[in-house]
Amino acid sequence: YDGERNPEGERHGRGKARLPNGDTYDGEYEHGFRSGRGTYRFRNGACYIGEYLQNKKHGQGIFFYPDGSKYKGDWVNDQRHGYGEYTYANGDTYTGEWFNHNRHGQGTYVYKDTGSKYVGGWVNGNQEGEAELIHLNHRFKGKFWNGNPVGHGKYVFDIGCEQHGEYIQSEQDKGEGEEEEEPLFVVAPKWKASQITKLTLWTPHGENPPSPSEASLVSSEVFSPAKDEGEEGEGSRAEEENKDQEDQGEE
């Protein structure tokens, strides 16, 4: 350690430290703890630039991860917590609320490859709640659970019409003696269309479902005008798994 100390001999003020594991810290100390602003460089290539409180990331800060991703925003007790933006290694971005290291609350996830974006609720890192999935020339408005659309919703097309319907979870056939076993895979919900209408104008009192006289009925067979809408969220599921290495070996 090279830096200031208080009369008690504690690290206090400005200083630089090299830890036994090869990590380095250059910043402010209070009574022996990293507190205030500083830069912590990890041996694995990660780097944190921001505020500390008693050796923990706390306040505003930017974390650069070894895989090229980064987080810029609020920290509480060493965790992403509050509001922040995460840029993932594949170029996707999430901007919104965080709770205990997870995407939680309201946020927007933008898929770099397609330009699509999810705007709405999140629970413990998963897409959940009221949301809008916006594509190049159409969008889906409805509810999501565990990353998939569920229940009633509608597709809004730029050509000037809406398709109302609902997402239905198809049942899986189980053979004899398999009642207690977990399914081998999750079947994505299927879109079941009900009717097509003109665009519904937004009102302060919310949306009223179209009356049968205004709607032209369409086939109730399964119809997927936006088959790709459920295929874009898969890349966002594993990005958190390797992000928490940075705390190993901290002083």
Side-chain angles (χ1 to χ4, degrees), residues 1-215:
Y1 172 76
D2 179 19
E4 300 173 347
R5 295 181 183 270
N6 60 14
E8 288 75 28
E10 299 171 321
R11 300 177 184 182
H12 192 86
R14 188 82 190 177
K16 296 181 181 180
R18 178 177 292 276
L19 282 72
N21 64 0
D23 296 350
T24 62
Y25 174 75
D26 182 354
E28 298 172 338
Y29 284 87
E30 288 183 9
H31 300 289
F33 294 100
R34 294 188 296 273
S35 287
R37 289 198 60 82
T39 299
Y40 193 107
R41 299 185 184 278
F42 297 82
R43 185 180 55 180
N44 64 4
C47 177
Y48 172 77
I49 304 172
E51 297 173 321
Y52 274 93
L53 181 64
Q54 294 192 328
N55 276 0
K56 295 185 176 181
K57 298 181 283 291
H58 193 96
Q60 286 282 316
I62 306 175
F63 202 110
F64 299 90
Y65 295 92
D67 65 357
S69 59
K70 74 174 182 177
Y71 170 80
K72 178 181 181 181
D74 297 330
W75 295 82
V76 174
N77 197 28
D78 249 358
Q79 307 231 307
R80 297 184 292 268
H81 190 104
Y83 188 89
E85 177 178 352
Y86 202 119
T87 303
Y88 297 92
N90 64 357
D92 293 356
T93 60
Y94 170 81
T95 306
E97 297 175 298
W98 295 79
F99 184 84
N100 288 345
H101 237 36
N102 286 320
R103 299 174 300 233
H104 190 94
Q106 293 293 308
T108 299
Y109 192 103
V110 179
Y111 301 90
K112 181 178 182 294
D113 287 346
T114 61
S116 299
K117 60 182 176 180
Y118 171 95
V119 183
W122 296 78
V123 176
N124 293 326
N126 291 319
Q127 297 170 349
E128 191 166 322
E130 294 282 347
E132 198 170 358
L133 190 57
I134 304 169
H135 300 291
L136 184 63
N137 56 7
H138 68 280
R139 59 185 64 195
F140 171 77
K141 294 183 178 182
K143 291 183 178 180
F144 285 74
W145 183 79
N146 199 25
N148 288 313
V150 293
H152 292 280
K154 67 179 181 180
Y155 281 93
V156 181
F157 297 92
D158 288 355
I159 57 175
C161 67
E162 297 178 353
Q163 184 185 75
H164 301 258
E166 64 179 315
Y167 272 97
I168 299 173
Q169 184 69 54
S170 58
E171 295 293 329
Q172 285 185 303
D173 293 329
K174 292 185 177 182
E176 293 183 9
E178 296 180 1
E179 287 78 5
E180 302 299 323
E181 294 183 7
E182 292 291 325
L184 297 177
F185 58 92
V186 177
V187 179
K190 297 292 186 181
W191 174 249
K192 186 174 183 180
S194 60
Q195 53 198 7
I196 293 179
T197 69
K198 295 181 179 179
L199 289 179
T200 306
L201 294 178
W202 180 85
T203 67
H205 305 293
E207 256 180 34
N208 295 319
S211 64
S213 60
E214 296 172 339

